[in-house]
Amino acid sequence: MYSYCYMSEICSGYLKIPKRQMPSPKKTTNSQASTAQPTRKNDNPVLNESKISNYFGENVFGPGAQKEFLSKSAVTAIEDAAKHGTPISHKQADEIAQGMKEWSLSKGCTHYTHWFQPLRGTTAEKHDSFFEPLTQDTGVEKFSGKSLVQQEPDASSFPSGGIRNTFEARGYSAWDPSSPAFIMEKGGVKTLCIPTIFVSYTGEALDYKAPLLKAVSFIRKAATGVAQYFDAKVTDCNISLGVEQEYFLVDEKHFQLRPDLMLSGRTLVGSAPAKGQQLEDHYFGSIPNRVLAFMADFEEKAHKLGIPLRTRHNEVAPGQFECAPQFEEINLAVDHNSLLMDVMESVAEEHGLKVLLHEKPFKGVNGSGKHNNWSIITNTGVNVLSPGSSPEQNLQFLTFFINTIKAVYDHADLLRASIATAGNDHRLGANEAPPAIVSVFVGDTLENVLTDFEGKKDAKAGSKAAGSIKIGHIPEILLDNTDRNRTSPFAFTGNKFEFRAVGSSDNCASSMVVLNTIVANQLVQFKKEVDEGVKASKSAKTEDVIKTILRGYLKDSKKVIFGGNGYSEEWVKEAKKRGLNNITTTPAALEAYLSKEAVNLFVKNNIFSHKELEARTEIRFESYVLRLQIEGRVLNEIIQNYVIPSVIRFQKRLADNVNALMAVGQSKAQLKAQLEILSEISALINKLHEDNRKMTNERSKANKIADAHKRALAYCSKVKPLFDSIRESSDLLEQLIDDSDWPLPKYTDMLFAR
Ligand code: ADP
Ligand code: MG
């Protein structure tokens, strides 16, 4: 018997697979539903069977397919592996592989792939054929348990931060049975995709999924320990995640004419349109027909892949849209988000559109994020972040609520680091985006509840809580009180926290590893303090010990709570007074991963080894530099080969015109405007040329720096500022010259053309 997830000889003990991934489907009677389930649609903590079957679309190796292609015992084996982490035997793995193969062949697949998420934005696949030739004219379709469980892709070109030298190219991908296999259809070709983790020969994780599974396993255990204070029947907790994904759509024809969009994902030059988002008429406005057709098609394909997409709408900026699935178990939700981005891009192409997932594709226009809605739900079906009708008496809620706030306060820099990318730097703190200061929004009602709680005003006469810390399931009332503060990076929204600062192109796993680890670590600390407190004082009730500890936490942690306008200058000043950091650049933000506290936190809790942490941070410094390197090169090219030649052509026409007019006797005074434009153009060309040269110089200086961290800092402080001044000159030129001479599609074309 071997661990179903990977080869035990390489990784034994390195990763405990978490138990059941999704809240177990259970039938609820009406009376149960009225108590255990809050009334709001999206708030349903228990996913019932009919919903589950909707989620598993026809291209997912889900319950329906299993029944047909697997024996009863194999179905149970998969379910137990996913639910309880029970290992799958060689024999069962062989049978499951056989079933998967038959199922995918019946659906028209010829190839399979281990699907994983390496440490760069996208997903990776290497397709193998089921077909094995036997003789010259015969062959057989084969797929063994071994091929299902483990593969050895040549991994030398995936980033490893120095963990794996290129001569030791081996990396292993290993099956994650908690995330169902699916069939991906692209360009009419269907491939069986098996979700896997990706590790090096020496056992270090080289992907996003492996540490996420570890962090989730950690928080499930930690949350269960704390939830048991309130209900002894709780034996497990699930972490749920719903990811709202923002994106832009542009016409593919425009996209193809913009080397900056094609190579760097964002426009490096481009003057703001006359009509921007000032009117905010796009937000929730009607969706253009062509976009709607794309959305419907994309949703259908997503549903087939088991991604439970529910909402779609326009976003704040013109050309910007959003979609959101129903929340799911976090590992599945992260896989689904990666898959969703992939599907979105390929479906858009079929509609002549291009999806822009960059955090800030257009200057001066709203950026895109990925709101991570997160909560903890017990296996008894209770969302511990549901405040109920009287949060002041709901000690279980207050416990999880305050512990989360404390974790965010204590580790704000790590959360900031988790979302740091070159793309997100343009968004954080910029127009219509959460600031780089990590703060928590809880809404007035809950802020008052916390103030009263801290001041011991919580014990009301006749309180339901008297004599017991079990509050029961109270219907929601708070949803409308926690008004929507769109400016907060970390907001409590009714019955969940929403981490909004995550970048739209990012893999959510990075931020979710940090969030789950810091909260789990905090819950473990809390439980330790409570148990010690109870032991120390024989007479005190657990409830009172809990309250005293939580009050102690609030003293400092409440500094992170902020309900005002996060975009304002006053907040930047106020945050400074409160001692909250405002880290505006990626190279500075990433340093948090290398701090003593971070190393302690991750290593002690077995999320990352010290080596893994260093390697990951190195990869992120490198990715930052790589992004800026590409942007720098593309910008050089755009200025030298597109902008300057076009401007000169216009200038020549103007000069010819001036000459012609002078020849027929017009005076210089009469040609004042034209002469002025000519000089302005010359001055701007000189400035552009000079800055462009400076930028090339700074780039080559920075490239010589061997240390990735220092190289990133140099790119940030020496190279990047020149992008802005180059852009400024180019945008001024764009405003000066004839539209028909401008060599690139303009913002108006891209944002408003449908
Ligand atoms: P918003 O007001 O932010 O648009 P929605 O209710 O539309 O909020 O939810 C946004 C996302 O949050 C959806 O993906 C939804 O499924 C998810 N969500 C709702 N409840 C929870 C929960 N308890 N845990 C995690 N995600 C949730
Ligand atoms: Mg939201």
Side-chain angles (χ1 to χ4, degrees):
M1 213 181 237
Y2 50 83
S3 165
Y4 56 84
C5 194
Y6 39 42
M7 332 47 82
S8 46
E9 68 274 25
I10 295 163
C11 320
S12 64
Y14 133 79
L15 170 63
K16 280 218 177 67
I17 296 303
K19 290 180 188 166
R20 172 68 183 157
Q21 300 296 314
M22 201 180 300
S24 20
K26 68 180 191 186
K27 291 197 176 96
T28 44
T29 62
N30 279 346
S31 66
Q32 274 173 320
S34 63
T35 53
Q37 297 187 327
T39 46
R40 204 165 171 256
K41 237 200 273 165
N42 264 355
D43 184 37
N44 186 346
V46 179
L47 300 174
N48 63 38
E49 233 149 21
S50 67
K51 273 190 191 158
I52 294 261
S53 66
N54 283 341
Y55 293 170
F56 289 118
E58 62 176 77
N59 286 343
V60 176
F61 194 62
Q66 283 169 5
K67 273 183 205 123
E68 239 180 289
F69 291 91
L70 294 177
S71 70
K72 226 175 166 178
S73 72
V75 174
T76 315
I78 294 188
E79 281 174 4
D80 284 350
K83 259 189 216 160
H84 313 296
T86 319
I88 290 175
S89 69
H90 282 288
K91 204 170 146 257
Q92 281 163 332
D94 272 333
E95 195 203 319
I96 295 163
Q98 185 69 16
M100 259 187 210
K101 183 192 77 184
E102 294 302 328
W103 171 74
S104 53
L105 288 175
S106 76
K107 295 237 164 213
C109 293
T110 52
H111 287 65
Y112 66 92
T113 179
H114 271 199
W115 180 84
F116 55 97
Q117 299 164 48
L119 295 171
R120 55 169 160 74
T122 50
T123 55
E125 309 152 11
K126 175 188 154 238
H127 298 191
D128 283 302
S129 172
F130 288 121
F131 187 79
E132 272 184 28
L134 289 178
T135 65
Q136 209 169 8
D137 341 280
T138 59
V140 64
E141 257 119 11
K142 264 192 170 168
F143 184 51
S144 65
K146 197 168 163 292
S147 317
L148 165 67
V149 169
Q150 171 189 340
Q151 292 277 315
E152 201 178 313
D154 174 11
S156 53
S157 55
F158 294 114
S160 75
I163 280 178
R164 179 179 22 67
N165 295 327
T166 26
F167 59 81
E168 179 44 272
R170 269 182 295 178
Y172 293 96
S173 55
W175 181 31
D176 167 18
S178 62
S179 184
F182 55 89
I183 293 172
M184 186 62 139
E185 189 176 348
K186 271 188 196 168
V189 179
K190 292 179 174 179
T191 309
L192 170 68
C193 298
I194 299 152
T196 60
I197 60 162
F198 183 47
V199 293
S200 75
Y201 177 63
T202 41
E204 280 95 6
L206 297 174
D207 71 342
Y208 285 111
K209 190 193 258 282
L212 179 69
L213 292 177
K214 289 185 190 180
V216 171
S217 167
F218 179 33
I219 193 171
R220 286 171 73 163
K221 223 166 133 205
T224 304
V226 172
Q228 281 167 346
Y229 286 132
F230 307 95
D231 183 354
K233 289 198 289 298
V234 172
T235 55
D236 193 7
C237 283
N238 282 287
I239 311 305
S240 59
L241 180 70
V243 185
E244 297 162 69
Q245 173 75 51
E246 293 174 334
Y247 60 97
F248 279 84
L249 283 176
V250 292
D251 192 303
E252 194 169 11
K253 287 199 284 300
H254 293 143
F255 178 84
Q256 303 289 359
L257 293 170
R258 299 255 350 184
D260 48 359
L261 275 186
M262 285 200 316
L263 299 173
S264 74
R266 73 181 181 104
T267 54
L268 298 169
V269 296
S271 160
K275 175 180 188 279
Q277 63 193 60
Q278 304 92 325
L279 298 176
E280 300 222 332
D281 51 353
H282 180 72
Y283 193 46
F284 281 118
S286 69
I287 302 172
N289 291 351
R290 183 167 168 209
V291 173
L292 203 53
F294 151 74
M295 283 178 174
D297 197 2
F298 145 59
E299 279 163 20
E300 190 192 319
K301 295 215 162 77
H303 286 160
K304 279 189 183 167
L305 289 166
I307 304 171
L309 271 187
R310 289 178 63 127
T311 57
R312 45 160 109 123
H313 62 77
N314 289 353
E315 256 305 318
V316 181
Q320 192 187 28
F321 305 91
E322 180 192 292
C323 63
Q326 164 76 12
F327 68 88
E328 298 177 283
E329 186 286 323
I330 188 163
N331 175 35
L332 201 58
V334 171
D335 279 0
H336 277 166
N337 180 257
S338 292
L339 195 53
L340 178 106
M341 294 196 282
D342 202 6
V343 175
M344 210 179 221
E345 288 184 329
S346 89
V347 175
E349 274 173 33
E350 290 165 23
H351 289 257
L353 293 165
K354 211 65 197 167
V355 171
L356 306 180
L357 289 167
H358 193 284
E359 285 71 19
K360 195 82 177 173
F362 301 101
K363 193 186 166 192
V365 174
N366 189 34
S368 299
K370 193 181 286 227
H371 299 180
N372 280 228
N373 294 269
W374 170 93
S375 75
I376 304 172
I377 298 171
T378 65
N379 64 333
T380 53
V382 176
N383 177 354
V384 298
L385 287 172
S386 249
S389 55
S390 16
E392 66 283 359
Q393 294 166 38
N394 187 343
L395 195 56
Q396 167 158 290
F397 164 72
L398 287 172
T399 296
F400 281 93
F401 189 59
I402 294 171
N403 272 290
T404 306
I405 293 171
K406 176 164 164 55
V408 173
Y409 174 70
D410 288 345
H411 299 285
D413 289 353
L414 262 186
L415 274 178
R416 168 68 185 93
S418 76
I419 49 156
T421 59
N424 220 8
D425 278 2
H426 292 284
R427 174 176 164 256
L428 298 180
N431 180 35
E432 267 287 328
I437 306 160
V438 175
S439 65
V440 182
F441 172 83
V442 299
D444 286 347
T445 311
L446 286 173
E447 229 178 300
N448 291 338
V449 167
L450 290 181
T451 310
D452 287 353
F453 176 75
E454 203 192 349
K456 301 191 182 179
K457 284 196 240 153
D458 61 309
K460 282 187 190 145
S463 149
K464 276 186 242 166
S468 153
I469 52 169
K470 190 176 177 321
I471 308 295
H473 312 291
I474 302 157
E476 305 296 297
I477 56 119
L478 250 116
L479 296 163
D480 299 324
N481 290 336
T482 54
D483 48 330
R484 305 296 191 204
N485 182 320
R486 295 180 57 90
T487 69
S488 177
F490 198 88
F492 185 75
T493 45
N495 61 352
K496 65 201 188 250
F497 278 103
E498 187 172 333
F499 192 16
R500 299 193 181 123
V502 185
S504 48
S505 68
D506 224 347
N507 186 306
C508 337
S510 301
S511 50
M512 288 300 107
V513 165
V514 170
L515 179 62
N516 287 298
T517 304
I518 62 175
V519 175
N521 187 65
Q522 176 51 43
L523 290 171
V524 168
Q525 176 63 29
F526 169 75
K527 184 162 163 46
K528 196 168 148 242
E529 286 177 47
V530 173
D531 291 349
E532 280 169 6
V534 171
K535 221 167 160 190
S537 133
K538 279 174 200 97
S539 56
K541 280 191 286 180
T542 308
E543 181 183 341
D544 295 330
V545 175
I546 289 177
K547 285 180 181 170
T548 308
I549 293 169
L550 291 178
R551 282 186 184 117
Y553 286 171
L554 273 177
K555 236 170 131 197
D556 276 333
S557 310
K558 67 179 176 213
K559 281 188 220 148
V560 82
I561 298 173
F562 176 65
N565 178 6
Y567 299 163
S568 68
E569 230 0 82
E570 292 86 75
W571 170 227
V572 175
K573 283 187 207 140
E574 163 72 16
K576 200 167 173 193
K577 255 198 256 160
R578 294 191 194 183
L580 304 180
N581 284 335
N582 182 10
I583 309 172
T584 52
T585 67
T586 292
L590 288 177
E591 284 166 16
Y593 274 122
L594 302 172
S595 71
K596 230 165 119 190
E597 291 102 305
V599 173
N600 253 338
L601 173 79
F602 288 118
V603 175
K604 181 185 81 188
N605 294 312
N606 189 33
I607 309 298
F608 293 121
S609 68
H610 198 162
K611 195 169 157 194
E612 283 175 317
L613 200 55
E614 276 182 349
R616 268 161 204 264
T617 315
E618 169 119 355
I619 290 170
R620 300 200 36 191
F621 283 129
E622 280 169 2
S623 316
Y624 178 82
V625 168
L626 220 62
R627 279 292 193 119
L628 264 62
Q629 251 168 3
I630 295 172
E631 290 187 357
R633 286 194 201 126
V634 177
L635 189 56
N636 271 160
E637 184 192 318
I638 288 184
I639 297 305
Q640 250 11 89
N641 308 21
Y642 288 68
V643 173
I644 293 182
S646 312
V647 172
I648 290 176
R649 269 197 300 277
F650 170 74
Q651 200 182 25
K652 167 143 196 328
R653 276 212 331 263
L654 197 54
D656 288 349
N657 185 51
V658 169
N659 276 336
L661 291 172
M662 300 239 268
V664 296
Q666 296 239 331
S667 71
K668 275 197 177 172
Q670 281 173 306
L671 301 174
K672 189 168 166 273
Q674 296 188 44
L675 287 167
E676 255 174 44
I677 294 175
L678 282 169
S679 322
E680 270 173 54
I681 290 177
S682 294
L684 284 167
I685 291 178
N686 286 339
K687 175 107 184 20
L688 259 187
H689 190 63
E690 198 186 307
D691 284 344
N692 216 11
R693 201 170 266 171
K694 263 194 223 157
M695 196 249 282
T696 313
N697 273 339
E698 290 298 344
R699 273 203 289 129
S700 51
K701 267 199 256 168
N703 289 343
K704 291 196 186 89
I705 303 173
D707 180 82
H709 181 188
K710 291 195 182 122
R711 195 162 62 246
L713 285 169
Y715 261 92
C716 180
S717 64
K718 303 276 190 220
V719 180
K720 205 175 150 225
L722 287 162
F723 292 179
D724 297 334
S725 61
I726 292 174
R727 177 178 196 139
E728 202 184 306
S729 309
S730 173
D731 291 357
L732 285 171
L733 283 167
E734 183 184 338
Q735 288 162 28
L736 277 178
I737 78 165
D738 186 342
D739 244 16
S740 59
D741 281 311
W742 193 248
L744 302 163
K746 295 194 157 206
Y747 268 34
T748 318
D749 304 325
M750 292 183 284
L751 290 170
F752 295 98
R754 299 275 180 269

